[in-house]
Every structure is written in structure tokens, then in C-alpha cells.
């Protein structure tokens, strides 16, 4: 008996049967669709007369609110010519070409089973080059096959999953885990390690591959929002340790317990108990303005050798040379200090609070202050306040500007910010939710409209996200958007390059003011290890380095492009400019 195409020229078929027993799937005949067909693969049937391929499947359907299906539906689809040719003549290049084509779930695995006996070298190459244009099930199948066929090479691949030119900087004793690294000079870095319950901070010289100093520290702050706990700040090394519980129910309100400040030779200058403020904004009080639900003041400033640190509703000022507390500044209106301090040419100190700004003269007198009723997302150098619903307040003139999304119907809806605005070269980049961004000039006039946006880090559902999805360098703007794209623009807003991505951007930064680094989560099915993908972009947006590393713990980049990373108990280094453009797999 011929298929429906032979009989009537039809290429699709569907029928429903009400559910009689939820424990059993009814049997549907295929005879009236394809007759006595051949079955080269599961759910794929070949008509004996015209040799068309049909995909026939059965699935539950009905009201999506129902716990169980109301009907079982049998559907049949006559395959198009391109898919039919691949079914008829399967090969490795077809696996890559059709990685997004619609086939039964187990189809690619069945194809690989048939190809394996005669395509050993090709399958071996697919694994070793980590061919990304394959389905997840195909990658998993190839990994298991490679592990069985080439166990020795598979073990070597696990050990060599990083650039071939990498060199060991230092090896720690077995059992000592490297948690973080941070560059502090061109050729020196620090690493924090854990062995049993003991934590150590090491100073390391990358060229001589020697340990310069060691300090014992307490456990780092890792039980709250994901903020850097080991970092370089204005010529000093800083470390957050311990934690204070901020909420019985919400860990994002936890906060560090102590700040350690070291000089770059490893000498401890200050050990300071912390009194940061972390709380949720009540959206009922700030509806349609702030909507930034979580507020912290984890930042601090170091200006002219003085440390300005938030402490409850005060600012504590420490002299880092004298290693002592100099003074306590009362914040006007008891408003928590945000940690941002700026020094003007006339020796005026400008402080940002969580809701406003105030300035002190050389005698410590308040010469200017302003407090908003709401929490701004960002305050620029002209002291303009930016709120979540694309509202900008000029506090010096009292003027306000809003940006609306005008629909075809004429309805105006306010834009909402996806991530904080970025100020650069007398311009402001405002990334809005919904694939739209503006570049404004210094008068807040729209200079460029962009059909793209950044990762959403400040919406009501992005609780406490601390990563920066936009990076500005001397020549480029890098905008990252999780699971969608990484876009490079010039400073005028012209798109240089646009790279689609399918994973989360864990961090983005520049190490020399010219090149940018994006570190992405990497679950590519070729490995069971915890991995990240490191991409480095040049001054024209081109990819100058791309590789997969174990991580993200322990990865950092020096000013000269030396990248350090961790493998087991060893610390390795490679130079981003001496590696190949796409060195994936090493």
C-alpha cells in the first residue's frame, strides 16, 4: 500500500484520540499513512513506492493547565528534500549541517551508531576539535564513544584542556585548593588558597615563579551576593573575610564581616570591622521610579592615601600611611554612604550616598547637599540622577527628562533600564530592557538609537546581581547580553562586530584599557568538568583569543595580557597575544 503522498499528494496528517487510561498510550496504526513501509530510524518511515520519508510520532495534548493530557495525537510529516537526502546518505558533514534541523530525539545518536565503524578518524577529530555545531545528544554520544575507544587520549585531553604554551607558575601541595587570583603589578599576583579549614594569601612573582610572601586569613565572604572578595584597589590589595547575616530568609542581604587592606608587599595595614547597610527597597514606596529592589554599599574609595569606608550612617576615614582611623564623618540626613568619593581641583570632597550627594570643604563643613526621595541607579559627573524607569533628574536646574517607547497605537510606555548607564567621552549609554539602547550626548539628546541591549542586572527579578555587562575602552564599547549576543561598537555607536552566544556571561572587563575579556559559562557536552570559555576582543571588535578553561575560579589577566588559571593544585600562565585565535581544546 502506498503512502498518503502517493495516493493524494498530501504531506501531513494528524488525528486525536481521547485519553481512556492515563497509564497507557494508545496504539495508532501507520498503515493508512505509509502502508507497509521501511523503518530506517525510530519514528522515521520510508514509503516502498515513492521512497518519501515520513516522521510519525505520538504525543499527549490538551489543556496545558491540566495535570494529564486530554488526548493523544498522532502526527505525520513528510520530510523535505534536504533532510531526506541526509537520511538516505548519512555522513559527518551532514551532522554539522543539520544540527538545527528537526529530527526525532534519538535520530543523531542512531546515525552515529551506524557511522562509527567506518568513520573512526572523523569522529575522533570532532571530539578533539570540540565541534560546536552539533546537537547536545550528539556531543554526549561522541564523548562516551571517544572515552571507550581512546581511553589514553581521553585522559590526556582532560589534562591538556588549556593552551599548549601554558607554563606552570607555582605548584601547591596536594589538597591545597586555589580559590582566587589577582594581579597587583605587571609581574606579581596574589592567590588565596584553602587547605582543610585553613586559608592562606600568597604573593607570587610570575617571572621567577617564586612565592614572595604568605599571610594567614579567615574564610572569604562567599555567603551572600557574589562580589569580588580579593581585589586590587588604587595601589592596595583588599580582602573581604567572614560574613554577617543580613536576613534569616534572604542570603543576598548578608554582608562581609571584615576588610583587610595590604600593601603590595603583603604587609597588613588595616583590619577593619564592617557595618555595611544592605536592604530591600519597598516597591510600594518607590513604584515607577527606582524598582531596584536590593541596595548595598559594599564599595569604598581610596583617595590620596585615605580610605573612605561606609560604616552604618557614617563615613570612617583611615590614613593608610599611618594605619589608623583619622575621623568619622556624619552623613547628612543619616543617609548611608554609597562608597563613592571624588576630590575636586579646589580640594572639595564629593560623596555619593545611596539617595543623594553632599560635599565637604577642607574644614569638613558641608558646602552642598541633595537627597532624593528615591534610590537612583546611577549618578553621573554632572550630578544627574538616573532612575529605573528612564527618568533623569538634573538636581542643579530642577529639570527632568524621561524616555518613552511609543507604540504604533500612539501609547507611550516608559523605558526601563536593563543595567546601569555608562558615562564616557561626554556621552551616556543607556541600555533599556527590550532590545533597545540610546547613546546620549552631554545635553541628554539622543545621538544614536541601537537595536540591542545588555544583560538585565537591575530589574525587580535580578536580585543583587553585581556583574557589569558593559565595558568601555579607549576605542570600543563591549555590550554583553546573556544567551544572546556580544556586540562591539566604536565610541560613536557604530556596530563593529556581533557574536551570537548561547550561554551566560559571567564577567566582562578590560585589562589594559584597549582589549576586553568576556568569560562565559561553558556546558558543551564534550566534558563533565566545570568549564568557562574565555574570549578576548581587540580594538576593532575582532576575536584575538578564545579558549576553554577549567573555572571560573582562579582566572585573572595582567596589564600585559598574561592570563593565569588553575588546574588542580597548580597555577598556570599563558599570554593571550601569543596564542591562536581559536585555540579551543589546546
Amino acid at each position: 500500500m502506498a503512502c498518503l503522498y502517493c495516493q493524494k499528494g498530501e504531506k501531513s496528517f494528524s488525528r486525536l484520540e481521547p485519553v481512556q487510561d492515563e497509564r497507557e498510550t494508545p496504539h495508532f496504526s501507520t498503515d493508512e499513512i505509509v502502508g507497509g513501509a521501511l523503518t530506517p530510524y525510530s519514528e522515521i518511515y520510508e514509503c516502498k513506492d515513492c521512497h518519501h520519508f515520513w516522521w510519525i510520532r505520538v504525543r499527549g495534548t490538551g489543556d496545558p493547565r491540566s495535570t494529564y493530557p486530554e488526548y493523544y495525537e498522532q502526527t505525520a510529516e513528510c520530510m523535505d528534500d534536504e533532510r531526506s537526502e541526509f537520511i538516505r546518505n548519512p555522513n559527518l558533514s551532514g551532522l554539522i549541517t543539520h544540527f538545527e534541523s528537526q529530527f526525532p530525539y534519538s535520530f543523531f545518536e542512531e546515525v552515529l551508531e551506524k557511522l562509527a565503524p567506518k568513520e573512526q578518524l572523523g569522529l575522533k577529530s570532532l571530539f578533539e576539535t570540540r565541534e560546536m555545531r552539533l546537537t547536545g545528544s550528539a556531543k554526549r554520544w561522541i564523548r562516551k564513544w571517544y572515552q571507550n575507544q581512546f581511553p589514553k587520549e581521553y585522559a590526556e585531553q582532560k589534562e591538556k584542556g588549556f593552551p599548549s604554551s601554558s607554563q606552570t607558575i607555582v605548584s601547591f601541595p596536594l589538597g591545597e585548593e586555589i580559590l582566587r587570583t589577582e594581579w597587583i603589578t605587571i609581574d606579581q599576583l596574589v592567590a588565596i588558597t584553602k587547605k582543610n579549614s585553613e586559608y592562606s594569601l600568597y604573593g607570587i612573582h610570575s617571572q621567577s615563579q617564586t612565592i614572595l610572601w604568605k599571610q594567614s586569613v579567615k574564610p572569604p565572604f562567599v555567603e551572600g551576593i557574589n562580589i569580588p572578595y580579593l581585589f586590587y584597589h588604587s595601589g592596595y590589595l583588599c580582602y573581604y573575610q567572614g560574613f554577617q547575616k543580613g536576613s534569616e530568609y534572604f542570603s543576598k542581604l548578608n554582608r562581609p564581616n571584615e576588610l583587610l587592606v595590604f600593601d603590595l608587599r603583603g604587609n597588613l595595614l588595616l583590619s577593619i570591622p564592617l557595618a555595611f547597610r544592605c536592604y530591600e527597597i519597598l516597591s510600594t514606596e518607590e513604584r515607577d521610579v527606582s524598582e531596584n529592589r536590593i541596595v548595598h554599599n559594599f564599595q569604598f574609595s581610596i583617595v590620596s592615601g585615605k580610605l573612605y569606608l561606609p560604616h552604618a550612617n557614617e563615613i570612617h576615614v583611615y590614613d593608610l600611611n599611618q594605619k589608623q582611623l583619622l575621623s568619622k564623618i556624619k552623613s547628612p540626613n543619616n543617609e548611608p554612604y554609597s562608597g563613592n568619593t571624588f576630590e575636586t581641583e579646589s580640594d572639595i570632597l564629593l560623596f555619593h550616598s545611596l539617595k543623594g550627594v553632599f560635599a565637604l570643604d577642607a574644614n569638613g563643613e558641608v558646602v552642598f547637599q541633595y537627597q532624593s526621595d528615591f534610590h537612583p541607579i546611577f549618578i553621573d559627573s554632572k550630578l544627574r540622577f538616573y532612575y529605573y524607569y528612564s527618568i533623569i533628574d538634573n538636581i542643579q536646574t530642577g529639570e527632568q527628562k524621561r524616555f518613552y517607547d511609543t507604540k504604533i497605537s500612539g501609547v507611550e510606555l516608559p523605558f526601563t533600564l536593563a543595567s546601569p548607564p555608562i558615562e564616557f567621552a561626554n556621552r551616556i549609554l543607556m541600555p533599556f530592557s527590550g532590545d533597545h539602547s540610546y547613546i546620549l550626548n552631554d545635553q541628554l539628546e539622543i545621538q544614536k538609537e541601537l537595536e540591542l541591549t545588555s544583560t538585565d542586572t537591575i530589574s525587580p527579578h535580578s536580585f543583587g546581581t553585581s556583574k557589569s555587562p558593559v565595558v568601555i575602552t579607549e576605542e570600543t564599547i563591549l555590550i554583553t547580553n546573556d544567551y544572546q549576543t556580544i556586540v562591539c561598537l566604536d565610541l560613536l555607536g557604530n556596530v563593529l562586530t556581533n557574536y551570537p552566544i548561547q550561554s551566560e556571561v559571567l564577567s566582562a572587563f578590560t585589562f589594559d584599557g584597549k582589549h576586553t575579556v568576556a568569560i562565559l559559562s561553558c556546558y558543551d557536552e564534550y566534558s563533565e568538568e566545570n568549564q568557562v570559555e574565555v574570549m578576548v576582543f581587540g580594538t576593532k571588535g575582532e576575536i584575538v583569543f578564545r579558549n576553554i578553561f577549567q573555572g571560573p575560579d582562579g582566572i585573572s589577566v595582567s596589564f600585559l595580557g598574561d592570563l593565569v588559571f588553575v588546574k588542580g593544585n597548580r597555577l598556570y600562565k599563558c599570554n593571550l597575544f601569543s596564542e591562536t585565535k581559536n585555540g579551543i581544546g589546546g
Side-chain angles (χ1 to χ4, degrees):
M1 178 180 172
C3 71
L4 286 176
Y5 184 79
C6 296
Q7 298 177 62
K8 306 175 184 180
E10 295 180 358
K11 291 191 173 184
S12 63
F13 175 84
S14 175
R15 62 180 166 186
L16 294 171
E17 183 173 314
V19 173
Q20 303 296 328
D21 188 340
E22 287 126 357
R23 296 167 297 178
E24 294 183 8
T25 303
H27 173 73
F28 288 93
S29 171
T30 60
D31 291 344
E32 59 267 53
I33 304 172
V34 292
L38 305 172
T39 54
Y41 298 98
S42 299
E43 299 186 354
I44 294 180
Y45 298 79
E46 181 182 3
C47 175
K48 290 182 178 179
D49 291 356
C50 67
H51 297 287
H52 275 84
F53 291 100
W54 288 79
W55 179 4
I56 305 176
R57 50 186 164 170
V58 176
R59 56 190 175 187
T61 187
D63 190 332
R65 295 170 296 179
S66 177
T67 305
Y68 299 100
E70 298 175 288
Y71 301 92
Y72 282 102
E73 181 182 24
Q74 182 189 46
T75 59
E77 171 196 354
C78 188
M79 295 287 203
D80 57 53
D81 292 342
E82 289 186 6
R83 287 185 292 172
S84 296
E85 179 58 31
F86 178 51
I87 294 170
R88 194 170 285 112
N89 298 299
N91 52 60
L92 294 183
S93 62
L95 281 172
I96 297 170
T97 303
H98 289 280
F99 80 104
E100 288 186 333
S101 300
Q102 295 294 312
F103 282 104
Y105 181 77
S106 61
F107 173 73
F108 290 105
E109 295 179 46
E110 294 178 50
V111 169
L112 287 165
E113 291 280 1
K114 292 184 178 183
L115 293 178
K118 55 184 180 182
E119 293 280 6
Q120 278 207 352
L121 291 179
L123 289 174
K124 185 172 185 286
S125 176
L126 286 178
F127 178 81
E128 292 176 351
T129 58
R130 304 178 86 102
E131 173 57 60
M132 305 305 291
R133 295 167 297 170
L134 291 176
T135 64
S137 60
K139 293 174 186 174
R140 288 191 295 272
W141 189 95
I142 291 173
R143 171 165 56 83
K144 292 176 182 176
W145 173 86
Y146 189 95
Q147 190 173 1
N148 291 330
Q149 295 293 319
F150 306 98
K152 182 180 177 182
E153 288 89 338
Y154 182 77
E156 291 176 353
Q157 280 278 329
K158 289 186 68 173
E159 290 300 316
K160 290 166 56 181
F162 49 84
S164 56
S165 63
S166 300
Q167 55 180 292
T168 303
I169 298 179
V170 65
S171 296
F172 291 97
L174 288 175
E176 190 160 5
E177 179 186 2
I178 305 170
L179 303 179
R180 285 285 191 278
T181 64
E182 176 77 353
W183 288 88
I184 55 176
T185 70
I186 287 179
D187 52 12
Q188 291 182 37
L189 65 147
V190 293
I192 184 169
T193 69
K194 176 186 178 183
K195 187 173 184 180
N196 300 322
S197 59
E198 296 181 355
Y199 294 82
S200 301
L201 191 60
Y202 291 92
I204 301 166
H205 197 285
S206 65
Q207 299 300 325
S208 62
Q209 301 176 5
T210 55
I211 293 175
L212 302 175
W213 50 265
K214 176 184 177 182
Q215 287 274 9
S216 294
V217 292
K218 295 176 182 177
F221 172 68
V222 292
E223 298 186 53
I225 186 175
N226 183 23
I227 62 172
Y229 58 75
L230 178 67
F231 52 97
Y232 174 91
H233 193 318
S234 305
Y236 299 89
L237 176 65
C238 304
Y239 176 67
Y240 284 138
Q241 65 183 17
F243 88 104
Q244 303 171 50
K245 183 172 285 295
S247 167
E248 184 178 353
Y249 307 103
F250 193 28
S251 65
K252 297 300 183 185
L253 297 180
N254 292 341
R255 46 193 182 265
N257 187 57
E258 195 173 7
L259 169 66
L260 304 186
V261 181
F262 299 87
D263 66 19
L264 301 187
R265 294 180 296 278
N267 300 310
L268 179 62
L269 303 178
L270 291 169
S271 174
I272 310 171
L274 299 173
F276 287 156
R277 296 289 297 275
C278 313
Y279 55 92
E280 288 188 81
I281 296 173
L282 297 177
S283 60
T284 52
E285 295 179 6
E286 302 202 12
R287 178 74 64 183
D288 298 341
V289 181
S290 298
E291 279 287 354
N292 188 7
R293 300 291 183 86
I294 306 299
V295 168
H296 307 91
N297 58 344
F298 288 148
Q299 295 187 53
F300 55 85
S301 295
I302 298 177
V303 179
S304 302
K306 293 184 176 64
L307 169 68
Y308 296 88
L309 182 74
H311 188 96
N313 293 330
E314 297 179 333
I315 303 170
H316 286 194
V317 184
Y318 291 86
D319 189 309
L320 294 174
N321 296 317
Q322 299 179 23
K323 306 179 189 179
Q324 65 180 13
L325 178 65
L326 281 183
S327 62
K328 299 178 182 180
I329 300 173
K330 282 286 186 181
S331 178
N333 304 312
N334 288 322
E335 178 65 18
Y337 166 52
S338 72
N340 292 317
T341 298
F342 305 93
E343 188 174 31
T344 70
E345 293 180 356
S346 56
D347 295 329
I348 298 293
L349 287 175
L350 180 68
F351 299 90
H352 288 189
S353 69
L354 292 184
K355 279 190 175 182
V357 294
F358 63 96
L360 302 181
D361 62 17
N363 299 318
E365 298 294 327
V366 176
V367 294
F368 171 78
Q369 66 171 302
Y370 176 86
Q371 181 177 345
S372 170
D373 293 330
F374 311 104
H375 287 81
I377 302 299
F378 173 68
I379 303 173
D380 70 16
S381 62
K382 301 288 193 303
L383 301 185
R384 292 177 293 214
F385 285 44
Y386 296 72
Y387 299 96
Y388 178 65
Y389 281 94
S390 65
I391 302 169
I392 306 176
D393 277 339
N394 189 327
I395 67 171
Q396 299 186 74
T397 65
E399 297 175 346
Q400 186 179 89
K401 185 149 189 173
R402 295 173 179 246
F403 295 95
Y404 293 97
D405 183 10
T406 304
K407 303 297 183 182
I408 297 175
S409 63
V411 174
E412 290 185 331
L413 299 176
F415 279 116
T416 57
L417 287 167
S419 59
I422 301 289
E423 187 175 14
F424 66 100
N426 296 320
R427 294 181 179 87
I428 301 286
L429 171 67
M430 297 187 69
F432 298 121
S433 300
D435 292 333
H436 202 81
S437 297
Y438 285 158
I439 292 181
L440 311 178
N441 64 13
D442 203 36
Q443 288 73 47
L444 303 182
E445 299 166 333
I446 299 172
Q447 296 294 290
K448 190 88 172 180
E449 295 188 29
L450 304 170
E451 297 298 321
L452 55 92
T453 189
S454 67
T455 298
D456 187 348
T457 64
I458 58 175
S459 75
H461 301 291
S462 301
F463 293 117
T465 305
S466 61
K467 63 183 179 183
S468 300
V470 180
V471 180
I472 307 286
T473 69
E474 295 174 2
E475 299 182 46
T476 60
I477 306 170
L478 184 82
I479 302 179
T480 66
N481 195 1
D482 290 351
Y483 304 99
Q484 297 188 51
T485 59
I486 296 177
V487 182
C488 290
L489 304 91
D490 62 22
L491 296 184
L492 296 177
N494 302 307
V495 175
L496 301 174
T497 50
N498 189 331
Y499 301 97
I501 58 173
Q502 297 179 332
S503 57
E504 179 186 3
V505 181
L506 302 177
S507 65
F509 57 92
T510 179
F511 55 90
D512 61 357
K514 298 179 180 179
H515 298 81
T516 47
V517 178
I519 299 179
L520 290 73
S521 62
C522 181
Y523 302 101
D524 66 354
E525 313 294 348
Y526 283 118
S527 173
E528 297 171 311
E529 305 290 328
N530 180 25
Q531 300 178 130
V532 294
E533 183 177 7
V534 176
M535 300 175 69
V536 181
F537 300 90
T539 55
K540 302 302 178 186
E542 76 281 13
I543 296 177
V544 298
F545 177 87
R546 186 176 188 179
N547 214 313
I548 292 175
F549 293 85
Q550 181 176 328
D553 296 341
I555 290 180
S556 60
V557 183
S558 78
F559 181 81
L560 295 180
D562 285 328
L563 180 145
V564 295
F565 60 97
V566 175
K567 186 75 172 177
N569 62 325
R570 295 186 177 187
L571 194 61
Y572 292 89
K573 179 183 74 171
C574 70
N575 189 272
L576 298 175
F577 303 122
S578 64
E579 284 293 319
T580 58
K581 179 178 178 181
N582 292 291
I584 293 179

